[in-house]
Tab-separated table of all heavy atoms in Angstrom:
chain	number	residue	atom	x	y	z
L	77	LEU	N	4.189	5.516	4.035
L	77	LEU	CA	4.515	6.341	2.882
L	77	LEU	C	4.376	5.522	1.594
L	77	LEU	O	3.855	5.974	0.586
L	77	LEU	CB	5.939	6.887	2.984
L	77	LEU	CG	6.198	7.963	4.020
L	77	LEU	CD1	7.654	8.349	3.974
L	77	LEU	CD2	5.307	9.152	3.818
L	150	PRO	N	9.242	-11.194	15.893
L	150	PRO	CA	8.936	-10.719	17.254
L	150	PRO	C	8.220	-9.376	17.348
L	150	PRO	O	7.940	-8.893	18.419
L	150	PRO	CB	10.351	-10.609	17.854
L	150	PRO	CG	11.208	-10.263	16.671
L	150	PRO	CD	10.657	-11.043	15.543
L	182	LEU	N	-3.608	6.656	-0.040
L	182	LEU	CA	-4.069	5.284	-0.167
L	182	LEU	C	-5.591	5.189	-0.160
L	182	LEU	O	-6.157	4.233	-0.648
L	182	LEU	CB	-3.478	4.427	0.951
L	182	LEU	CG	-3.898	2.942	0.987
L	182	LEU	CD1	-3.468	2.233	-0.290
L	182	LEU	CD2	-3.353	2.255	2.182
L	190	ILE	N	-10.226	2.346	-9.054
L	190	ILE	CA	-8.823	2.719	-9.097
L	190	ILE	C	-8.562	3.432	-10.407
L	190	ILE	O	-8.963	2.940	-11.472
L	190	ILE	CB	-7.907	1.494	-8.982
L	190	ILE	CG1	-8.123	0.795	-7.646
L	190	ILE	CG2	-6.442	1.868	-9.139
L	190	ILE	CD1	-7.432	-0.553	-7.514
L	209	VAL	N	4.488	1.387	-13.217
L	209	VAL	CA	3.966	2.749	-13.222
L	209	VAL	C	4.641	3.496	-12.079
L	209	VAL	O	4.522	3.092	-10.913
L	209	VAL	CB	2.438	2.778	-13.036
L	209	VAL	CG1	1.927	4.220	-13.011
L	209	VAL	CG2	1.751	1.986	-14.134
L	225	ILE	N	4.532	-2.228	-9.569
L	225	ILE	CA	4.818	-3.268	-10.549
L	225	ILE	C	3.651	-4.243	-10.588
L	225	ILE	O	3.262	-4.823	-9.585
L	225	ILE	CB	6.116	-4.006	-10.199
L	225	ILE	CG1	7.281	-2.989	-10.135
L	225	ILE	CG2	6.418	-5.091	-11.217
L	225	ILE	CD1	8.589	-3.584	-9.654
L	231	LEU	N	-2.513	-9.264	-14.136
L	231	LEU	CA	-2.922	-7.886	-13.867
L	231	LEU	C	-2.852	-7.527	-12.394
L	231	LEU	O	-3.282	-6.443	-11.983
L	231	LEU	CB	-4.333	-7.598	-14.403
L	231	LEU	CG	-4.552	-7.885	-15.887
L	231	LEU	CD1	-5.995	-7.593	-16.275
L	231	LEU	CD2	-3.582	-7.061	-16.768
L	243	GLY	N	16.094	9.747	0.436
L	243	GLY	CA	16.838	9.023	-0.591
L	243	GLY	C	16.923	7.527	-0.329
L	243	GLY	O	17.349	6.756	-1.205
L	249	SER	N	6.896	-6.499	-1.370
L	249	SER	CA	6.389	-7.521	-2.277
L	249	SER	C	5.230	-8.276	-1.655
L	249	SER	O	5.219	-8.518	-0.455
L	249	SER	CB	7.503	-8.510	-2.627
L	249	SER	OG	8.601	-7.863	-3.234
Side-chain angles (χ1 to χ4, degrees):
L77 289 180
L182 178 61
I190 297 171
V209 179
I225 302 174
L231 305 179
S249 301

